[in-house]
Amino acid sequence: MRISEQKLFNNKAEGIGILLFLVLAVLPLVLGIIYALLYSLGVIGLVSDGFTFAYWQRALSDAEFWLSIGYTFYIALATIGLTIILSLFLSLYFRKELRHGLPGFAIYVPLAFPAIVVAFLFFQLLSQSGLFARIAFQLRLIADSSVFPELVNDPFGIGIIGAHTFMATPFFTLYFMNLYRQANLKEFRQVAESLGASAFEQLRRIVVPVLLKRAFPTLTLYTIFVMGSYEIPLILGRQTPQMMSVLVIRKLRRFSLSTIPEAYITAIVFIAIIIALLTVLFKSKNFSYDLDR
Amino acid sequence: MISTGRARTFWVKVLIITLLFPVAYLLMLSLATQWIFPSVLPASLTLDRWSTLLGASNLFGSLLLSLGIALSVATISTFAGFFSSKHLAYHPQRSLWIRLSYFPFVLSPVIYAAVLYFYFIKLDLAGSFVGVILGQLLIAYPYSVILFSGFWSERIQQIEKLTQTLGGSRWQIYRRVLLPMAQGLLLVCFFQTFLISWFEYGLTTIIGVGKVQTLTLKVFQYINEANFYNAALASSLLVLPPIILLFFNRKYLFRQRW
Amino acid sequence: MKTFLKYLLIYIFLISCSSSSKQQDELTDLDWEQITQRAKGQTVNMMMWQGDPNVNSYMQNYVAPAVQKQYGVDLKIASGQGNTIVSILMSELEAGKSESELDLVWINGETFYQLREIDALYGPFVSKLPNSKYLDLDNPFIKYDFQQPINGYEVPWGNVQFAMIYDSARVQDPPQNRQQLTEYVKAHPGSFTIPNDFTGMTFLKSLLIDFAGPSTLDGEFDKETYQQYSTQLWEYLNRIKPYFWKEGKTFPSSVSAMHQLFVNGEIKLTMSNNDAEVDNKMLEGLFPETARAYLLQPGTIQNSHYVGIPVKSTHKASAMVVSNFLISLKAQYRKARPDVWGDGTVLAREKLPDNWQSKFNDIPRQRYAPSQDSLQKYALRELAPKYMSRLYEDFRTEVIQQ
């Protein structure tokens, strides 16, 4: 292997550096895809009977599989949409307050939360016997816990979206505040104002478009991240539909061993979606400035 | 409604409470004895749970384990990423490498672990401390590469060449020139990769075969047995270190990290 | 790059072909003395369901320190249910691994069946354990695990029976059978549900037996019989589902989650695979003092749970020592106490030394659990494992997803 690689690299240090990268970042992905593919085709596996497309046929004709893909996109897009609205609002209206003092500290606090703790927290707060339901009960807003609206393990993924939004909003609020400064939006607004643009127009025509355009790559990456999240939908989700990551693990660990190939098919499809999204993202102009000097 | 000064102060307060309340709630739950529907406040508080933690409890072991794994992952990925990214950044294929490094980094860790589990068994790494570190490195290292890729500018390259002409060895260049120049970024990277590892659950449970019981696994186990008080205690242990870090320096916490 | 890929493919090919080195199993020739000698200083990695604080505390605070002290064995416990255990051991076999990560697993029913199917269990070894002489192996509820003879491949550990639990302060007349359950949920909508885990499936099994009639479902899994009666079961459930908790649109993922709903007053009935759980949950302070357990008509499932040793375990000696300890008089007695765990013993009373017989008889009888006599009277045998996995699959597709 070294002989063939040496032509690629100028010196040993470069060789080691790049080889390290190939081994840790590229090789595992390739190996993972190959393994999942072979398993899904029945080539390997303790209970497989040899090469077959049967698992693919079965997986692709399963309504749950398609529902899961749709649900994954729905959760990710709803989260990111809500996050954009909230964090634009916070970063634009509370820009001054959030820069220092207690608010400036508090906005960072959710960044110190791992997903599993956020999921646990939301469950504790929002379930029908959770803290909010108790407050509603004490205030005599509800007579019985079952009257409290379903906010976790609910059909619309409210709990999941809420938990993700709680994690993402502070991050993007801070991010937009940084971009606002970097893009000299203050000066642009002053110019616009002197030309007679109202405050609302300044926001609508200049500030928001510039922020969103600049933040587009990061927003897309975050969307992908939400799509692959596991702990939050595991704890706050329903038995059906399930997000793809939860579905993969469930099918992998099901009592009937025959669904394992389907788990790998779901994994392959997920990876393919991610690769497709990233490829599109890399083509966008907003992204390339970061890559090419 | 927000324009008037007083309303504005009010909303800022609401925001602060929303953001800080979760920490207070977790601490309260970890101290509660009996806190069931419909009580809004716990019946009484106890320090028992926290004090057993100081003894040789399982949770304390998990805390040390998480710490050990996170420190290893952070150290290795920061330095390996720094070293690799230099060569990748100066390589003619630079943009290809950087693009590739995004894939493992944004891919769902749990799905990544699921398709790689076979190889970890093959390499005798499944269920081991080292295996979990390697598994988490597969996410943290590409992150580190991405983070450092912006550092390697032409200016840095020129300084490096200059030092070389002045007779500096490769080691001296790293020690005297490159590492000091990147100090701030190295610290950011260290803390971010530390947190990637500290917060990781899905990959750790698969690659670790449930045997490598980090704090996140403990939280999940307690949730599973509906032992919410202990889950809150373990959660507090997860959340408090980063919050303390927040007091020291905010920029360490604010980076794209998922 | 091409060369690189070529090497890669060769590498993958090589590792997928490499076969495991056959480990010589010489334990069969050793006597118990030698086995305990060998066990000293070994670690046992045990994987078990950790969904109950009492169970965890018994293992962590009693069994682990005891085996450490008596045999120098370091017992480490990892969390994982039957399906996870199967998945882990199967992946290890697929990878041709010669040393398993697990040394002892808590299993029964379909997990045992599947592990036997893929030859993942070590055995027969039960008769090697000195304490096995006390085991109640004449009892069909212990000797057969889901209709399958254990044949020395797993050690009986506990024996329990499914029971319903209600809060007598809030429910006057809990439903005693299927017909009453229908009326009950209609009268008290939102107060009942079924956990989507093994406890829930055990409940469904008893309903299935109720539909099919006694002993219709005994023996091997029969697809047609299953189809016939499960269709009735799903029809029945879908008919009353709108009156379930959250209108039957979702189900709790585990029985501990269901207990939590019960405690918080969201639902009024819960259930347990363990007839004595009502007592230990009450002693623990989780359930209200007014909680009571009872059996459904025409009966509920009684079954046993076991521990097994993976065939590729490298610490079989110490795993056997731990298994032997688990069925020791002391450990079984302690486990049976409702303030510890309340798990029924698998030892035959008549085989025990006199002083132990009286000790077991004097266990503070569970106060609110069904009586021992009624348990035996209404005990149903487990069905073949395939029924369980089919119920799991079909409950999801026929009920949850409808």
Side-chain angles (χ1 to χ4, degrees), chain A residues 146-165:
Chain A
S146 62
V147 192
F148 192 75
E150 283 177 49
L151 299 174
V152 296
N153 311 123
D154 61 295
F156 305 106
I158 296 172
I160 304 176
I161 296 168
H164 276 307
T165 307

mmCIF file with all atom_site columns, all heavy atoms in Angstrom, chain A residues 146-165:
data_model
loop_
_atom_site.group_PDB
_atom_site.id
_atom_site.type_symbol
_atom_site.label_atom_id
_atom_site.label_alt_id
_atom_site.label_comp_id
_atom_site.label_asym_id
_atom_site.label_entity_id
_atom_site.label_seq_id
_atom_site.pdbx_PDB_ins_code
_atom_site.Cartn_x
_atom_site.Cartn_y
_atom_site.Cartn_z
_atom_site.occupancy
_atom_site.B_iso_or_equiv
_atom_site.pdbx_formal_charge
_atom_site.auth_seq_id
_atom_site.auth_comp_id
_atom_site.auth_asym_id
_atom_site.auth_atom_id
_atom_site.pdbx_PDB_model_num
ATOM 1   N N   . SER A 1 146 ? -55.202 13.694 32.185 1.00 0.00 ? 146 SER A N   1
ATOM 2   C CA  . SER A 1 146 ? -55.386 13.273 30.796 1.00 0.00 ? 146 SER A CA  1
ATOM 3   C C   . SER A 1 146 ? -55.931 14.398 29.908 1.00 0.00 ? 146 SER A C   1
ATOM 4   O O   . SER A 1 146 ? -55.919 14.296 28.693 1.00 0.00 ? 146 SER A O   1
ATOM 5   C CB  . SER A 1 146 ? -56.330 12.074 30.744 1.00 0.00 ? 146 SER A CB  1
ATOM 6   O OG  . SER A 1 146 ? -57.581 12.457 31.255 1.00 0.00 ? 146 SER A OG  1
ATOM 7   N N   . VAL A 1 147 ? -56.395 15.471 30.550 1.00 0.00 ? 147 VAL A N   1
ATOM 8   C CA  . VAL A 1 147 ? -56.906 16.591 29.761 1.00 0.00 ? 147 VAL A CA  1
ATOM 9   C C   . VAL A 1 147 ? -55.760 17.456 29.228 1.00 0.00 ? 147 VAL A C   1
ATOM 10  O O   . VAL A 1 147 ? -55.898 18.182 28.257 1.00 0.00 ? 147 VAL A O   1
ATOM 11  C CB  . VAL A 1 147 ? -57.861 17.456 30.619 1.00 0.00 ? 147 VAL A CB  1
ATOM 12  C CG1 . VAL A 1 147 ? -58.620 18.441 29.751 1.00 0.00 ? 147 VAL A CG1 1
ATOM 13  C CG2 . VAL A 1 147 ? -58.829 16.575 31.377 1.00 0.00 ? 147 VAL A CG2 1
ATOM 14  N N   . PHE A 1 148 ? -54.618 17.342 29.907 1.00 0.00 ? 148 PHE A N   1
ATOM 15  C CA  . PHE A 1 148 ? -53.464 18.126 29.479 1.00 0.00 ? 148 PHE A CA  1
ATOM 16  C C   . PHE A 1 148 ? -53.055 17.687 28.076 1.00 0.00 ? 148 PHE A C   1
ATOM 17  O O   . PHE A 1 148 ? -53.020 16.495 27.772 1.00 0.00 ? 148 PHE A O   1
ATOM 18  C CB  . PHE A 1 148 ? -52.308 17.909 30.467 1.00 0.00 ? 148 PHE A CB  1
ATOM 19  C CG  . PHE A 1 148 ? -51.171 18.871 30.298 1.00 0.00 ? 148 PHE A CG  1
ATOM 20  C CD1 . PHE A 1 148 ? -51.282 20.181 30.730 1.00 0.00 ? 148 PHE A CD1 1
ATOM 21  C CD2 . PHE A 1 148 ? -49.989 18.465 29.701 1.00 0.00 ? 148 PHE A CD2 1
ATOM 22  C CE1 . PHE A 1 148 ? -50.241 21.079 30.569 1.00 0.00 ? 148 PHE A CE1 1
ATOM 23  C CE2 . PHE A 1 148 ? -48.933 19.350 29.537 1.00 0.00 ? 148 PHE A CE2 1
ATOM 24  C CZ  . PHE A 1 148 ? -49.067 20.662 29.972 1.00 0.00 ? 148 PHE A CZ  1
ATOM 25  N N   . PRO A 1 149 ? -52.774 18.663 27.185 1.00 0.00 ? 149 PRO A N   1
ATOM 26  C CA  . PRO A 1 149 ? -52.455 18.275 25.801 1.00 0.00 ? 149 PRO A CA  1
ATOM 27  C C   . PRO A 1 149 ? -51.223 17.374 25.722 1.00 0.00 ? 149 PRO A C   1
ATOM 28  O O   . PRO A 1 149 ? -50.304 17.503 26.514 1.00 0.00 ? 149 PRO A O   1
ATOM 29  C CB  . PRO A 1 149 ? -52.188 19.615 25.115 1.00 0.00 ? 149 PRO A CB  1
ATOM 30  C CG  . PRO A 1 149 ? -51.944 20.586 26.208 1.00 0.00 ? 149 PRO A CG  1
ATOM 31  C CD  . PRO A 1 149 ? -52.730 20.111 27.386 1.00 0.00 ? 149 PRO A CD  1
ATOM 32  N N   . GLU A 1 150 ? -51.254 16.498 24.736 1.00 0.00 ? 150 GLU A N   1
ATOM 33  C CA  . GLU A 1 150 ? -50.115 15.614 24.526 1.00 0.00 ? 150 GLU A CA  1
ATOM 34  C C   . GLU A 1 150 ? -48.977 16.385 23.903 1.00 0.00 ? 150 GLU A C   1
ATOM 35  O O   . GLU A 1 150 ? -49.073 16.840 22.769 1.00 0.00 ? 150 GLU A O   1
ATOM 36  C CB  . GLU A 1 150 ? -50.494 14.513 23.546 1.00 0.00 ? 150 GLU A CB  1
ATOM 37  C CG  . GLU A 1 150 ? -51.333 13.434 24.115 1.00 0.00 ? 150 GLU A CG  1
ATOM 38  C CD  . GLU A 1 150 ? -51.694 12.454 23.027 1.00 0.00 ? 150 GLU A CD  1
ATOM 39  O OE1 . GLU A 1 150 ? -50.786 12.033 22.296 1.00 0.00 ? 150 GLU A OE1 1
ATOM 40  O OE2 . GLU A 1 150 ? -52.880 12.146 22.889 1.00 0.00 ? 150 GLU A OE2 1
ATOM 41  N N   . LEU A 1 151 ? -47.906 16.536 24.633 1.00 0.00 ? 151 LEU A N   1
ATOM 42  C CA  . LEU A 1 151 ? -46.770 17.277 24.097 1.00 0.00 ? 151 LEU A CA  1
ATOM 43  C C   . LEU A 1 151 ? -45.545 16.392 23.904 1.00 0.00 ? 151 LEU A C   1
ATOM 44  O O   . LEU A 1 151 ? -44.623 16.744 23.183 1.00 0.00 ? 151 LEU A O   1
ATOM 45  C CB  . LEU A 1 151 ? -46.427 18.452 25.020 1.00 0.00 ? 151 LEU A CB  1
ATOM 46  C CG  . LEU A 1 151 ? -47.561 19.474 25.178 1.00 0.00 ? 151 LEU A CG  1
ATOM 47  C CD1 . LEU A 1 151 ? -47.205 20.518 26.216 1.00 0.00 ? 151 LEU A CD1 1
ATOM 48  C CD2 . LEU A 1 151 ? -47.862 20.143 23.840 1.00 0.00 ? 151 LEU A CD2 1
ATOM 49  N N   . VAL A 1 152 ? -45.535 15.244 24.568 1.00 0.00 ? 152 VAL A N   1
ATOM 50  C CA  . VAL A 1 152 ? -44.462 14.283 24.288 1.00 0.00 ? 152 VAL A CA  1
ATOM 51  C C   . VAL A 1 152 ? -45.094 12.970 23.856 1.00 0.00 ? 152 VAL A C   1
ATOM 52  O O   . VAL A 1 152 ? -46.251 12.705 24.177 1.00 0.00 ? 152 VAL A O   1
ATOM 53  C CB  . VAL A 1 152 ? -43.537 14.040 25.509 1.00 0.00 ? 152 VAL A CB  1
ATOM 54  C CG1 . VAL A 1 152 ? -42.800 15.300 25.877 1.00 0.00 ? 152 VAL A CG1 1
ATOM 55  C CG2 . VAL A 1 152 ? -44.317 13.506 26.687 1.00 0.00 ? 152 VAL A CG2 1
ATOM 56  N N   . ASN A 1 153 ? -44.357 12.170 23.127 1.00 0.00 ? 153 ASN A N   1
ATOM 57  C CA  . ASN A 1 153 ? -44.856 10.943 22.521 1.00 0.00 ? 153 ASN A CA  1
ATOM 58  C C   . ASN A 1 153 ? -46.146 11.243 21.754 1.00 0.00 ? 153 ASN A C   1
ATOM 59  O O   . ASN A 1 153 ? -47.084 10.444 21.740 1.00 0.00 ? 153 ASN A O   1
ATOM 60  C CB  . ASN A 1 153 ? -45.134 9.858  23.572 1.00 0.00 ? 153 ASN A CB  1
ATOM 61  C CG  . ASN A 1 153 ? -43.978 9.664  24.531 1.00 0.00 ? 153 ASN A CG  1
ATOM 62  O OD1 . ASN A 1 153 ? -44.131 9.783  25.727 1.00 0.00 ? 153 ASN A OD1 1
ATOM 63  N ND2 . ASN A 1 153 ? -42.806 9.400  23.997 1.00 0.00 ? 153 ASN A ND2 1
ATOM 64  N N   . ASP A 1 154 ? -46.191 12.402 21.149 1.00 0.00 ? 154 ASP A N   1
ATOM 65  C CA  . ASP A 1 154 ? -47.398 12.848 20.463 1.00 0.00 ? 154 ASP A CA  1
ATOM 66  C C   . ASP A 1 154 ? -47.276 12.576 18.967 1.00 0.00 ? 154 ASP A C   1
ATOM 67  O O   . ASP A 1 154 ? -46.183 12.369 18.461 1.00 0.00 ? 154 ASP A O   1
ATOM 68  C CB  . ASP A 1 154 ? -47.572 14.350 20.688 1.00 0.00 ? 154 ASP A CB  1
ATOM 69  C CG  . ASP A 1 154 ? -46.390 15.106 20.128 1.00 0.00 ? 154 ASP A CG  1
ATOM 70  O OD1 . ASP A 1 154 ? -45.286 14.927 20.653 1.00 0.00 ? 154 ASP A OD1 1
ATOM 71  O OD2 . ASP A 1 154 ? -46.557 15.847 19.144 1.00 0.00 ? 154 ASP A OD2 1
ATOM 72  N N   . PRO A 1 155 ? -48.404 12.566 18.261 1.00 0.00 ? 155 PRO A N   1
ATOM 73  C CA  . PRO A 1 155 ? -48.341 12.214 16.833 1.00 0.00 ? 155 PRO A CA  1
ATOM 74  C C   . PRO A 1 155 ? -47.565 13.209 15.976 1.00 0.00 ? 155 PRO A C   1
ATOM 75  O O   . PRO A 1 155 ? -47.067 12.849 14.922 1.00 0.00 ? 155 PRO A O   1
ATOM 76  C CB  . PRO A 1 155 ? -49.812 12.145 16.418 1.00 0.00 ? 155 PRO A CB  1
ATOM 77  C CG  . PRO A 1 155 ? -50.591 12.773 17.514 1.00 0.00 ? 155 PRO A CG  1
ATOM 78  C CD  . PRO A 1 155 ? -49.766 12.725 18.748 1.00 0.00 ? 155 PRO A CD  1
ATOM 79  N N   . PHE A 1 156 ? -47.484 14.464 16.388 1.00 0.00 ? 156 PHE A N   1
ATOM 80  C CA  . PHE A 1 156 ? -46.843 15.458 15.522 1.00 0.00 ? 156 PHE A CA  1
ATOM 81  C C   . PHE A 1 156 ? -45.382 15.730 15.895 1.00 0.00 ? 156 PHE A C   1
ATOM 82  O O   . PHE A 1 156 ? -44.761 16.632 15.341 1.00 0.00 ? 156 PHE A O   1
ATOM 83  C CB  . PHE A 1 156 ? -47.639 16.759 15.545 1.00 0.00 ? 156 PHE A CB  1
ATOM 84  C CG  . PHE A 1 156 ? -49.080 16.551 15.183 1.00 0.00 ? 156 PHE A CG  1
ATOM 85  C CD1 . PHE A 1 156 ? -50.070 16.606 16.145 1.00 0.00 ? 156 PHE A CD1 1
ATOM 86  C CD2 . PHE A 1 156 ? -49.425 16.241 13.876 1.00 0.00 ? 156 PHE A CD2 1
ATOM 87  C CE1 . PHE A 1 156 ? -51.394 16.373 15.811 1.00 0.00 ? 156 PHE A CE1 1
ATOM 88  C CE2 . PHE A 1 156 ? -50.744 16.009 13.539 1.00 0.00 ? 156 PHE A CE2 1
ATOM 89  C CZ  . PHE A 1 156 ? -51.738 16.072 14.504 1.00 0.00 ? 156 PHE A CZ  1
ATOM 90  N N   . GLY A 1 157 ? -44.873 14.985 16.821 1.00 0.00 ? 157 GLY A N   1
ATOM 91  C CA  . GLY A 1 157 ? -43.477 15.174 17.200 1.00 0.00 ? 157 GLY A CA  1
ATOM 92  C C   . GLY A 1 157 ? -43.213 16.512 17.868 1.00 0.00 ? 157 GLY A C   1
ATOM 93  O O   . GLY A 1 157 ? -42.115 17.057 17.758 1.00 0.00 ? 157 GLY A O   1
ATOM 94  N N   . ILE A 1 158 ? -44.214 17.036 18.562 1.00 0.00 ? 158 ILE A N   1
ATOM 95  C CA  . ILE A 1 158 ? -44.054 18.349 19.203 1.00 0.00 ? 158 ILE A CA  1
ATOM 96  C C   . ILE A 1 158 ? -42.892 18.324 20.199 1.00 0.00 ? 158 ILE A C   1
ATOM 97  O O   . ILE A 1 158 ? -42.048 19.223 20.215 1.00 0.00 ? 158 ILE A O   1
ATOM 98  C CB  . ILE A 1 158 ? -45.352 18.749 19.943 1.00 0.00 ? 158 ILE A CB  1
ATOM 99  C CG1 . ILE A 1 158 ? -46.487 18.905 18.925 1.00 0.00 ? 158 ILE A CG1 1
ATOM 100 C CG2 . ILE A 1 158 ? -45.153 20.045 20.722 1.00 0.00 ? 158 ILE A CG2 1
ATOM 101 C CD1 . ILE A 1 158 ? -47.847 19.098 19.553 1.00 0.00 ? 158 ILE A CD1 1
ATOM 102 N N   . GLY A 1 159 ? -42.843 17.272 21.011 1.00 0.00 ? 159 GLY A N   1
ATOM 103 C CA  . GLY A 1 159 ? -41.776 17.161 21.991 1.00 0.00 ? 159 GLY A CA  1
ATOM 104 C C   . GLY A 1 159 ? -40.409 17.120 21.328 1.00 0.00 ? 159 GLY A C   1
ATOM 105 O O   . GLY A 1 159 ? -39.465 17.782 21.769 1.00 0.00 ? 159 GLY A O   1
ATOM 106 N N   . ILE A 1 160 ? -40.297 16.329 20.261 1.00 0.00 ? 160 ILE A N   1
ATOM 107 C CA  . ILE A 1 160 ? -39.017 16.191 19.558 1.00 0.00 ? 160 ILE A CA  1
ATOM 108 C C   . ILE A 1 160 ? -38.594 17.537 18.988 1.00 0.00 ? 160 ILE A C   1
ATOM 109 O O   . ILE A 1 160 ? -37.453 17.982 19.163 1.00 0.00 ? 160 ILE A O   1
ATOM 110 C CB  . ILE A 1 160 ? -39.133 15.151 18.416 1.00 0.00 ? 160 ILE A CB  1
ATOM 111 C CG1 . ILE A 1 160 ? -39.632 13.820 18.964 1.00 0.00 ? 160 ILE A CG1 1
ATOM 112 C CG2 . ILE A 1 160 ? -37.808 14.978 17.704 1.00 0.00 ? 160 ILE A CG2 1
ATOM 113 C CD1 . ILE A 1 160 ? -39.870 12.770 17.900 1.00 0.00 ? 160 ILE A CD1 1
ATOM 114 N N   . ILE A 1 161 ? -39.531 18.191 18.306 1.00 0.00 ? 161 ILE A N   1
ATOM 115 C CA  . ILE A 1 161 ? -39.206 19.471 17.688 1.00 0.00 ? 161 ILE A CA  1
ATOM 116 C C   . ILE A 1 161 ? -38.857 20.498 18.757 1.00 0.00 ? 161 ILE A C   1
ATOM 117 O O   . ILE A 1 161 ? -37.888 21.248 18.636 1.00 0.00 ? 161 ILE A O   1
ATOM 118 C CB  . ILE A 1 161 ? -40.381 19.949 16.808 1.00 0.00 ? 161 ILE A CB  1
ATOM 119 C CG1 . ILE A 1 161 ? -40.591 18.973 15.651 1.00 0.00 ? 161 ILE A CG1 1
ATOM 120 C CG2 . ILE A 1 161 ? -40.140 21.359 16.283 1.00 0.00 ? 161 ILE A CG2 1
ATOM 121 C CD1 . ILE A 1 161 ? -41.889 19.176 14.899 1.00 0.00 ? 161 ILE A CD1 1
ATOM 122 N N   . GLY A 1 162 ? -39.624 20.486 19.850 1.00 0.00 ? 162 GLY A N   1
ATOM 123 C CA  . GLY A 1 162 ? -39.359 21.422 20.939 1.00 0.00 ? 162 GLY A CA  1
ATOM 124 C C   . GLY A 1 162 ? -37.971 21.235 21.520 1.00 0.00 ? 162 GLY A C   1
ATOM 125 O O   . GLY A 1 162 ? -37.234 22.201 21.716 1.00 0.00 ? 162 GLY A O   1
ATOM 126 N N   . ALA A 1 163 ? -37.611 19.989 21.782 1.00 0.00 ? 163 ALA A N   1
ATOM 127 C CA  . ALA A 1 163 ? -36.303 19.714 22.379 1.00 0.00 ? 163 ALA A CA  1
ATOM 128 C C   . ALA A 1 163 ? -35.177 20.146 21.440 1.00 0.00 ? 163 ALA A C   1
ATOM 129 O O   . ALA A 1 163 ? -34.208 20.780 21.860 1.00 0.00 ? 163 ALA A O   1
ATOM 130 C CB  . ALA A 1 163 ? -36.183 18.225 22.702 1.00 0.00 ? 163 ALA A CB  1
ATOM 131 N N   . HIS A 1 164 ? -35.319 19.804 20.164 1.00 0.00 ? 164 HIS A N   1
ATOM 132 C CA  . HIS A 1 164 ? -34.291 20.208 19.195 1.00 0.00 ? 164 HIS A CA  1
ATOM 133 C C   . HIS A 1 164 ? -34.199 21.723 19.093 1.00 0.00 ? 164 HIS A C   1
ATOM 134 O O   . HIS A 1 164 ? -33.109 22.283 18.998 1.00 0.00 ? 164 HIS A O   1
ATOM 135 C CB  . HIS A 1 164 ? -34.600 19.626 17.817 1.00 0.00 ? 164 HIS A CB  1
ATOM 136 C CG  . HIS A 1 164 ? -34.114 18.219 17.649 1.00 0.00 ? 164 HIS A CG  1
ATOM 137 N ND1 . HIS A 1 164 ? -32.825 17.849 17.900 1.00 0.00 ? 164 HIS A ND1 1
ATOM 138 C CD2 . HIS A 1 164 ? -34.740 17.098 17.245 1.00 0.00 ? 164 HIS A CD2 1
ATOM 139 C CE1 . HIS A 1 164 ? -32.676 16.552 17.664 1.00 0.00 ? 164 HIS A CE1 1
ATOM 140 N NE2 . HIS A 1 164 ? -33.828 16.073 17.267 1.00 0.00 ? 164 HIS A NE2 1
ATOM 141 N N   . THR A 1 165 ? -35.361 22.372 19.091 1.00 0.00 ? 165 THR A N   1
ATOM 142 C CA  . THR A 1 165 ? -35.364 23.826 18.965 1.00 0.00 ? 165 THR A CA  1
ATOM 143 C C   . THR A 1 165 ? -34.702 24.472 20.176 1.00 0.00 ? 165 THR A C   1
ATOM 144 O O   . THR A 1 165 ? -33.968 25.451 20.059 1.00 0.00 ? 165 THR A O   1
ATOM 145 C CB  . THR A 1 165 ? -36.813 24.338 18.799 1.00 0.00 ? 165 THR A CB  1
ATOM 146 O OG1 . THR A 1 165 ? -37.412 23.617 17.726 1.00 0.00 ? 165 THR A OG1 1
ATOM 147 C CG2 . THR A 1 165 ? -36.841 25.817 18.493 1.00 0.00 ? 165 THR A CG2 1
#
